[in-house]
Amino acid sequence: GHTVGGEQWARLRNGRRALRRLKALIRRRREAKLSTGDSGLAAFSRAVAPLVEAAGLSGRATFWLAGASESLDLPTLVRLGEWVSHGDVDGLFSSEVVGRIVERVRPQVRSAGLIDSHDSCWDFFVARARENLHLALCLSPEGETGLRSLSRSVPALVSGCAVHWFRPWPREALVEVAHTLLRDTPLRSVGASETDSDDEDEVGESPMSRSGCSSETLVDASDDETVEEKVEHKTDTATLRDSLAHHFARVHASADALARATHSGAGCNAATCRRPMCRGGVRAYVTAGAYLDMLSTFRTLLDTRDAVCTASLRSLRSGLAAYRRMCCALDEQCELERAGEAAAAHKRAEADELLSLLGRDSLLAEKLRVANSEESERLAELEEEAAVITQDLQAALMAARPALDAADAALKTLDRAALTKLRATSAPAAEIGQVMSAVLCLTSRRGTRAQSIDTSWAEARVALADPDRLLRLLADLDKDRLPAERVEWARRLCAATDSAAELTSERLLPLSHGAAALCEWVLAVCAYHDAHVEAEPRRLDLEAARASLEEVARRNRVTCDRLDVLDRRKTALQERLATATAEKASFEEACATRAAQVRRAQRLVASLYVEGGRWTATRRKLKRERRQLAAGAAAAAAFAAYAGPLCATSRADLLSGAWPLDIFPRAATTEVVSILSGPTRQIAWRSEGLIDSRSLENAAIAERSPRYPLLVDPHLQATAWLAARHRSCLVRVAQDGVGAVHRIRAALEARSPLLIEGVDTEPSVELMPLLYRHHTPRRGGRLVLRLGGADLALSDAAAVGPVFLRTQQSDPHFAPGVQSHLALIDFAVDEHGLEAQFLESLLAAQAAPLASRRAHLESELLHREEEHRQLEGRLLESLASADGALLDDELVARAEAVPAAKAKLEAAAGAARDAEAEVAAIHDVNRTAARRVAITFSLMAEMHRVCPYYLFALDAFRSVVDSSVAAWQRQSYPSESREGKDSKGSVPDGAKVGRNSQGEDSTRSVEDSAPGASTVADAAEEGARAEDVSAREECDDAGKQRARGDKLGGASGASCTMGHRRGRSLCECVGWATYAFAAAALPEQQRLAFAAHLALRLASAAGGLTREALEDFVLGPRALATEPQPEALAWLPEAAWLAVQRLAQSMATLRDLPRRVCEETDAWRDWFETEEAEMAALPHGICNLEALLIVRAMRLDRLAPATRAWVEEVLGQRYAAPLPDDLEAQLAHASPAAPLLLLLSPGADPLPAVAACATRASFRQNELGGEIGGQLGIGEGGMGASGGTSLHVVSLLQPDAEAAAERALNATHAAGNWLYLQHADRGSVRWLQSLERQLATIQAQTSEGSQFRLIISVEVEHRSKGCALPEALVRRSVKIAVEPPGSLRGAMLRAWRTVDDELWGAAEALHEPLAPGLGLASSGPSATDAKAAFFGLCHVHSIALARRRYCALGASHAADLAASLGVAARALSWTQVPAAVWWSDLRRNAGAAAFGSHFGNVWDKRLHVALLEAYVHEALPDGQQVSRRLEFLELPSRDAYTRHIEASPSDDIPSDLGLLPRAQSALEESRADELLRFGAAVMSTSRVGLGPFGRSGRRSCSGTAAAETVEAVRLVLDKVRDALPHATTVRPKALQRRLRTDLSPLEVVLMQECDRMEALVTEVHASLARLDESMRGGAPVDEGADTLVGALQRGLVPASWTELAWPSAGPQPLGRWLLGLYTRRAHLEEWAAQGVPPTVTWLGGLFRPQAFVFALLAETSRRTGTPLESLSAVAEVTGYDSAEQVGAPPENGVYVHGAALEGANWDASAGKLAEAPSGGRCATRLPVMHIRALEAVTTADTIAAAPYGVYASPVYATGPASGAERRGEELPLTAWLPSEAPPSLWVVSGAAVRLDGECGWQRRATQHTTTG
């Protein structure tokens, strides 16, 4: 019965709401809605109670619609759940209302035959209310108020409702809605004829001939439309409207597909985007609201632009018509004026002619007389001059003869063979090319300009193709008439340059005989031409002299005859002149009046004539533009609706690929932005800080979008733009701030611009009515907005100021319901935007006057354009209303003002172009530095994936850049920094290079300059000074200049010009400053990774590294179409061979690398087996970047040293050297609003350094509540009691820490002190968010020069758990990584500083040992013993810290040094015990003090005890070495020990720390893994997957690449399917029929392993089937399918498989993993078939080996009756080398194989542990082991029960995680390994056993690469 039209659909912003309202309309239900703007139980009761009462009493059917946009908080939702569940909401009605309701329904209860008790009446009311009141919740599936969250928080509400899923609008609905909304929109079809005739609008030829313009110069504007315009395809309006409707539907579908692909990682990312390191945009949802906004924007744009265009056309038409009328009137006046002027003109002409003739004759006669006398004298002089010129000419011709002979001689030396040989050269030397260029220039056709002559080698080879013709051409060359321009061009080609000497035949003779002869010919021709040119003036002078002689003689004869004739004619002319003069005067007086009147009209028409021609052209242009208005408006509307969250590349791809209409041309982003905003607005935005194109696009979208913009602004660029745009009028309100709603309401009432900050997930409930535009209509046409419990009256829906929302999160996720009402705009800058911004920053720093002048000229240009537009408009209006009044002075003035304004406009445009050219020149110099800075920050912006604390603010980064540029300018141009720049602002080219500020030669190198700099500015100055020296040396040595190329891109070095030297110097200076700023936040291990990836990105940007090669370097090679590995390369691992092939595919310079490796196997094998492969020379001389890529492919374990060497070569040694821990440098960047964030590594203590900085900054430490680091409180007068400033320390671990920190923050800010918050990551989330808001308030309240500083420290050990601090707080802070000393010397120095004066004094007070031979026994420690104890304990602590970076097993924790020294201090009082006992007690007590929370397990305790035994004992006499380079000496003072430690070497080797030499390999592997992990984190891991257009193989970036990827993946998929085992169960049937309680422990383990295997195989088959279906087009491409594609591309195991698979240490190749799957399945089948474990169990092949060990203990407990908690498992090595040698299982326990030994070697012949060789991998295969149960309660008991000569080792399920400090999963198993060496040796070396997950594990000792 009821239908809903498109208009009603358009008014509803959600399809689910529309359908629900339609259903209510059909069922005749009254719609009700919860009053928006209120929240809480009271508001719920007020809104719901009337509805329930009306539904229960009157029985009226009511439809209650509610959604996420209403104020539905959690208590309200709970009440709704109660209503849905049982209908009775507790507390909904008061007791009085309940009584009234009961009384009203009592009669109805009685009529129904029920008992009318109170309860029965109330139940009747509730039942009736539930029947009539229907609730519909319209929710989004996602978000905090979505269906998923609702089902978790209020399950009763979801379980009591019927859930209906509303899918997105179908294509038919989209088209229908577009048709409906475009029904009344005026559309102009393409090629449609205009209603007005063009013939009437054109400007014809000017009717007057004396208007100042001749008919030839007038613009002929009488032509009608062009032929192309006349033959355009005619499309009616209906067809256009239908095309637009389908186009909008296609736009919506493509945007939705791109959004879905971005969700799954297949959208625009680093792999698919054409731009390097593209951000990819934020996660967006395409909703119906965006579609309706697109249609609304289209209508608005089309109506507005059509109205403007129509008005302009109408104005031009009327003005042109008035102009034609004026021309006609002027013609009439001119005809009258011509009739009266004709006679006067005739008389005037007659008198003038007579006067002219008389004057001419008189003058001529006088001249003839004078000339006759002069010509006689001239004859004699000319004869003498001719004789002299003749002699000089003969001498000059004789001088040119040798050059001509030399040219002929050079041609005679040329022959056909020499020229043929010269042509055969494919890549000639530069000199040969120059000679041939000169020959081509001289022998080209006459009339050809030298600049247009093709002088390339290809043209030269064409000329050399016919040697005979060339020789004839050279011989027949007309050398006398050669153009001077060509000769000069040829001479310039052969002349000397800065980098090469002048070309001569002797120089070219070794290169080519033909080239040498040609060079000699060219030089001779040039010499002959010079001589000929020199003689040419003399020849011309001779000819002129002879001609002059003849002419003078002839004139002398004629002169005498003419004098007689002239005298007779003069007399007659004088008589006629008197009569004509009288007649002329009378006629001129009559015409003067009429001429003055016409002249003014002529000025008017003449001024309008040229303007009329331009108006005609403008009108034609406007007509064409009006026909294309729909296309532009459609593109702009789509762009404004969908492009906000997209990256720049996705925007351009959609505009050029998926969005253009077939009948309209494609649009560019610049055109779209111009349509949305206009050039005036864009220039204003640039002045407000939006420099790059993407920011301008975002501003246009924000200004044009009908929805409120939600700005994703991690770098605060949009915030700065809004602040500059609205200035003091902008109201900034934090969403969750105190009084936020009241401040927002006040801003809305004042119509002030409003910025709501902190919208990180979704808007608050109180703001939803405003943001979702829920206005309630009232009487009088006014609207009421319910906000914060109060009503806000509005005149209309747009009666508020601009409202913006902002989130500072870099990757937020907003629910679809939020995005349907808000316009999501990603304001994060990309790399190209950063480059543009930094170019402007560098311009402002180097040439501020030029930047100001350019901005002024742009403003002036806009002003001139507006002035010209206004003058032209007023003129057109005056013309339209002139009515033929030609003599109007105002009209004439306006007509003359328009050309003058046009001239000013053109002058302003020219000046703007000149300024832009100057700016472009400076940009060219600074572009390299700007690109490097942009790449650095783009890399920094991606580092939050490595650690969530690595968030950097763009403002802080800009300040670093500005400081470095200022320092560079001070260093490079000291005089200019004092005197200022010149007027244009450009850097003078005459600045000295290679001089420091004192004018002396600088001798410091780049590597020695910056690492020691204390601030960024110092580092920049040092870098600039060093770069100046480098530039000067390059200019002095041309050979060195050619050798110094751009190593990043492989290109040759630039010419040594002043501009390039400045640019290179600036790039080095700014690059180092920005690197130091970013690297300060990184630990030492990640700094190399950061520098390496920075260099790689620079190489990729320079073109020296392809994108594919960069991805393969970081993520590993892709497994696509590889060739089988030859047998000769069996020494090369399979993964390395795959990487070699992929490297050849991605790098053009290494195409033949697989062939080289196959052909030169021995050379490559020798290099491969070299220990330090990165230092050895590669075959074929491969070096630089290619060598690094080869090391990555073949020797992954040497990647870190190779990368370090490459970074040193490319960027400089300082980039690979450790950075000094300069806390003061980072404090210089901090401010009251930008705290200093200390990122603490385990064992780091920054408090002494902070206190030292405070001391140096004239701060004192204020110990509130005790010593620093203890509980600090703020008491009365506690702050600044002594009148100075203080350092306050508050730890958030103390009781009531947040309140204390709050008081300290307020007090320190008021007093200008420093506050140090320790352990800030332990604070509550709410308090940390309030801290961030307080800092924002402090920023607004702090005056300039305030000394307040906030220092925050967090521990980053648990970085995988996320960032504990708010993202905005982390981003605004200045970060520095604080690590414990990395070397043994540094750790020892820090540890020794803890021995304070009190401890040292106690040691000095002890007695000295008695002299030997006295026969007295000494008891108690001596001073030497105490010093040795202190020294040994510090050394033990330092070793524990230094071992961490080696990732050694059993070294994950360090002892508390303070506790150990406390034990030693107490031990000094044990004076009555013997020395040996004293040392033993000291070690025992020191170990006990370190146990507890400092160590995680018994293995760490054992290591600490072993270290104490090794370094703290009585056998430590004077001079004995504690390590290989550190010895204990008896020294007089504590400072002497400090100097002794400082004198020790700074570099460590594993033996210094008790580790085996092979630990260095593990360290390098961990560094390589950190390098790759860092790169994988900062790069998107998605490859070119299927994506949104995967089924057709079409990609927005590269359709061919996507199609190839689909085919390659399908091939891999088929191979994997063929290799997979069948998805059948392996569970034994006999066990399946038994109950689980009847199974033995080992049988239960078997069943569990079978279940896991079955689940894994099933998942593998199912995922491959889904992928196959998606690739065939039968299913959509989801996130899982795209992830699977990426894994199969790389030949790796997908994540969904590894989650169900067995544990592994890292990613594995797919082939090896499938082999492991087969082997494990076969192992389980064997076990299942036998019913008992196999003879030898592959323990590493189980999914859960821990369960197997526990099951073995349970079996033993059942068999022997021993309690399970009293049993432990031990593993002993047997004599079986392999599982095949074992014949039968053991009587007790089981045999297992597949174990490896880490940190030691296994001597198979002796059956004992042995020291491992120095090189190679740190893993050795172990024989078969016997696991049995042992009666031992704890692991410590198991270790103690080990026999003598046996080392008790831990056993881990997997190896140590590469690059991490943690170990693998520990098994409840202890391995007993025989050893001749004491167990302490293996304890200290970190020897341990791990399970190997590979079957038949055998490796050669020379294989250094990892399987990954």
Side-chain angles (χ1 to χ4, degrees), residues 1603-1625:
E1604 295 176 355
T1605 299
V1606 171
E1607 295 300 326
V1609 170
R1610 182 173 286 114
L1611 178 62
V1612 176
L1613 185 146
D1614 294 339
K1615 291 184 178 180
V1616 172
R1617 282 178 136 181
D1618 295 339
L1620 276 177
H1622 297 291
T1624 57
T1625 181

Side-chain angles (χ1 to χ4, degrees), residues 1281-1328:
S1282 55
T1285 51
S1286 309
L1287 169 67
H1288 301 265
V1289 183
V1290 177
S1291 174
L1292 293 185
L1293 295 178
Q1294 67 189 42
D1296 197 20
E1298 295 179 356
E1302 192 83 18
R1303 295 192 300 270
L1305 179 64
N1306 297 330
T1308 51
H1309 173 242
N1313 298 327
W1314 285 12
L1315 176 61
Y1316 178 26
L1317 294 180
Q1318 292 181 322
H1319 308 289
D1321 50 330
R1322 305 300 177 88
S1324 65
V1325 177
R1326 182 181 298 275
W1327 184 84
L1328 291 173

Side-chain angles (χ1 to χ4, degrees), residues 605-655:
V605 176
S607 300
L608 293 178
Y609 183 63
V610 177
E611 293 297 322
R614 187 174 58 83
W615 291 343
T616 303
T618 303
R619 191 163 184 270
R620 289 177 180 173
K621 180 181 177 182
L622 287 176
K623 288 180 180 179
R624 290 192 296 268
E625 290 180 354
R626 188 165 61 170
R627 299 185 190 116
Q628 301 294 335
L629 285 181
F639 189 83
Y642 299 108
L646 301 180
C647 69
T649 305
S650 296
R651 295 176 179 182
D653 289 342
L654 287 177
L655 282 175

Side-chain angles (χ1 to χ4, degrees), residues 1114-1303:
V1114 175
L1115 305 175
R1118 289 187 290 181
L1120 295 179
T1122 58
E1123 300 179 359
Q1125 185 172 354
E1127 296 181 359
L1129 299 181
W1131 51 270
L1132 187 66
E1134 178 184 357
W1137 174 245
L1138 177 65
V1140 168
Q1141 294 184 83
R1142 176 57 188 165
L1143 184 59
Q1145 296 174 7
S1146 59
M1147 288 292 290
T1149 57
L1150 297 175
R1151 294 294 186 195
D1152 57 344
L1153 180 61
R1155 181 184 58 80
R1156 294 181 185 178
V1157 175
C1158 294
E1159 293 178 355
E1160 303 180 9
T1161 304
D1162 296 338
W1164 283 96
R1165 183 171 184 175
D1166 293 340
W1167 173 83
F1168 179 78
E1169 295 179 354
T1170 304
E1171 178 64 25
E1172 296 182 353
E1174 75 282 357
M1175 304 302 295
L1178 281 166
H1180 298 280
I1182 300 176
C1183 59
N1184 295 337
L1185 183 57
E1186 290 82 1
L1188 178 64
L1189 298 176
I1190 293 176
V1191 171
R1192 165 66 176 92
M1194 302 178 65
R1195 285 295 303 273
L1196 187 59
D1197 60 318
R1198 303 305 301 175
L1199 178 61
T1203 304
R1204 185 181 297 105
W1206 182 70
V1207 169
E1208 291 178 355
E1209 181 181 4
V1210 172
L1211 298 179
Q1213 294 183 3
R1214 53 182 174 174
Y1215 287 87
L1219 284 177
D1221 295 333
D1222 199 347
L1223 188 61
E1224 289 188 1
Q1226 297 302 103
L1227 275 171
H1229 298 296
S1231 64
L1236 180 65
L1237 181 60
L1238 307 180
L1239 305 178
L1240 306 183
S1241 298
D1245 182 17
L1247 184 57
V1250 173
C1253 291
T1255 302
R1256 285 191 292 271
S1258 299
F1259 281 83
R1260 63 176 181 83
Q1261 298 183 10
N1262 188 5
E1263 302 178 0
L1264 298 177
E1267 61 181 2
I1268 292 181
Q1271 180 177 354
L1272 301 180
I1274 306 290
E1276 236 182 278
M1279 300 285 299
S1282 55
T1285 51
S1286 309
L1287 169 67
H1288 301 265
V1289 183
V1290 177
S1291 174
L1292 293 185
L1293 295 178
Q1294 67 189 42
D1296 197 20
E1298 295 179 356
E1302 192 83 18
R1303 295 192 300 270

Side-chain angles (χ1 to χ4, degrees), residues 1736-1808:
V1736 181
T1737 302
W1738 180 22
L1739 189 59
L1742 300 179
F1743 288 87
R1744 296 290 295 170
Q1746 298 90 337
F1748 182 84
V1749 176
F1750 278 119
L1752 177 62
L1753 295 178
E1755 290 273 6
T1756 305
S1757 176
R1758 288 185 179 184
R1759 186 178 66 253
T1760 61
T1762 307
L1764 181 61
E1765 60 271 10
S1766 300
L1767 294 178
S1768 298
V1770 295
E1772 298 175 304
V1773 181
T1774 66
Y1776 303 110
D1777 291 337
S1778 62
E1780 290 77 10
Q1781 298 179 0
V1782 182
E1787 297 180 359
N1788 181 18
V1790 293
Y1791 287 136
V1792 297
H1793 74 103
L1797 181 63
E1798 295 278 356
N1801 194 17
W1802 180 257
D1803 189 352
S1805 59
K1808 296 181 180 180

